[in-house]
Amino acid sequence: MVIENYKKIRQSIDEACEKCGRNKEDVLLLAVSKTKPLSDIEELITIGVKDFGENKVQELVKKKEEVSTPVNFHLIGHLQTNKVKQVIGKACLIHSVDSFHLAEKIEAEAAKEDIIVNILIEVNVAEEESKFGLTVDDALPLVQEISEKCPHIRIQGLMTIAPFVDDPEENRPVFRRLRQLSLDIKSKKIDNVSMNVLSMGMTNDFIVAIEEGATIVRVGTAIFGERNYAIS
Ligand SMILES: *Cc1c(COP(=O)(O)O)cnc(C)c1O
C-alpha cells in the first residue's frame, strides 16, 4: 500500500511541476516515516526511495541503525540542545534550526567530530504561537550570525510548517513569503549560505507549495496513512 501511495503522490508532484514549468527533478518527495515501522521504510527502499523524515532524534537514530540499506534520514522536528550530540552525523539535513543557541551546540559537536553539518532555518511565517521557528524578521540576522561564527555549519535554505487549514490555497501567501525571504537572503551572498532548499508543503498543501517554489515537500499521512500516537 505504501508503494502505491508513494507513486501516486510522486505522480501528482510531477504533474504539478509540469503545470507550473518546473523540473520535477528539482522537487524531493521526503517520505515522513515518523511513528511508522521500519517495514514501511524497507518497502519504499525496494522502489528506490532514499529520503525519509523523522521528528524525534531517538527514533531517527534507531531506524538509521536498523535499516538494511543506507538511506538519508532528515530531522524535521524540533531539536533540543541536549539531543544534538546524538543526532550529529546521523541526519543528512536538520530542517529545524531556529536559534543561535542551538546552532552553537551543533557547531561545537560538529567541530569535535570534524564534520560539516547541513541545516535549514525554520521560519514560523504564519507566526502561530504553538509552533517553533523564528519570525521572518529574525531570519536574516540568525543566518548572518551562524555564517560568522559556525564554520562547521552549511545553511542550505529555509523550512516552514504552514498552519493546518481546510483550503490549501490559504497557505499560498505563507509559502510565497518564505520563498521571497530566501531570495532576499540569497541576494546578500553570505559565506557558507546557499538558499537552494525550500522545505515546505505537507499532505494537505504540497501542490500549492510546489507552485510557490518548494524543493522539498514533507509528506507523511498521504504515504503511510494516519498516525496513531497512542500505540507508537
Ligand atoms: C509530521 C510532519 C510532516 C508530515 O505531515 P503530514 O500531514 O502527515 O504529511 C511534515 N513536516 C513536519 C515537520 C512534520 O512533523
Side-chain angles (χ1 to χ4, degrees):
M1 200 58 191
V2 294
I3 290 180
E4 241 170 78
N5 292 342
Y6 181 92
K7 285 183 174 167
K8 219 168 72 191
I9 301 299
R10 187 64 243 186
Q11 178 78 27
S12 343
I13 291 171
D14 295 352
E15 283 166 13
C17 285
E18 192 159 334
K19 259 197 206 155
C20 62
R22 296 188 57 197
N23 274 328
K24 59 187 185 190
E25 290 79 19
D26 293 342
V27 179
L28 174 72
L29 170 54
L30 180 63
V32 176
S33 46
K34 65 188 187 198
T35 80
K36 297 297 177 179
L38 198 64
S39 55
D40 282 356
I41 293 176
E42 297 286 357
E43 228 182 294
L44 288 179
I45 289 176
T46 66
I47 57 161
V49 178
K50 290 194 170 63
D51 292 88
F52 297 89
E54 293 289 337
N55 70 338
K56 293 212 163 70
V57 168
Q58 244 171 331
E59 192 174 343
L60 184 153
V61 170
K62 188 163 186 282
K63 283 175 172 167
K64 189 175 171 77
E65 275 167 9
E66 291 176 356
V67 75
S68 65
T69 316
V71 287
N72 304 319
F73 284 99
H74 299 232
L75 184 69
I76 61 175
H78 180 64
L79 177 57
Q80 290 169 294
T81 50
N82 63 358
K83 301 267 173 72
V84 169
K85 191 184 175 68
Q86 277 171 269
V87 83
I88 221 81
K90 305 267 171 69
C92 66
L93 182 64
I94 299 171
H95 289 228
S96 49
V97 176
D98 62 357
S99 72
F100 185 67
H101 179 60
L102 175 59
E104 251 183 333
K105 183 72 185 171
I106 294 171
E107 170 61 26
E109 294 299 330
K112 265 192 232 164
E113 307 255 329
D114 195 22
I115 57 171
I116 297 292
V117 174
N118 292 309
I119 69 162
L120 303 178
I121 302 297
E122 180 175 351
V123 185
N124 183 356
V125 177
E127 302 199 0
E128 286 184 291
E129 276 184 25
S130 59
K131 297 229 164 86
F132 293 104
L134 32 74
T135 64
V136 168
D137 289 343
D138 290 337
L140 178 60
L142 176 63
V143 169
Q144 283 167 327
E145 192 170 16
I146 294 174
S147 164
E148 278 165 29
K149 300 175 183 166
C150 305
H152 295 83
I153 293 181
R154 297 288 179 275
I155 301 176
Q156 303 291 356
L158 305 177
M159 180 273 231
T160 198
I161 302 174
F164 188 82
V165 290
D166 288 326
D167 179 1
E169 279 299 327
E170 289 177 52
N171 280 334
R172 190 178 294 278
V174 170
F175 299 140
R176 194 166 286 182
R177 191 123 191 256
L178 193 73
R179 171 141 192 278
Q180 190 54 53
L181 177 63
S182 87
L183 293 175
D184 293 346
I185 295 174
K186 192 173 193 154
S187 73
K188 311 277 188 218
K189 301 195 186 315
I190 305 166
D191 284 344
N192 290 334
V193 176
S194 78
M195 280 285 138
N196 298 328
V197 178
L198 270 182
S199 169
M200 57 188 196
M202 313 187 352
T203 288
N204 286 315
D205 53 17
F206 69 91
I207 297 287
V208 175
I210 288 166
E211 289 166 359
E212 295 301 327
T215 68
I216 299 180
V217 291
R218 309 177 308 265
V219 178
T221 308
I223 297 173
F224 299 101
E226 296 289 339
R227 287 174 292 271
N228 186 342
Y229 288 97
I231 60 160
S232 70

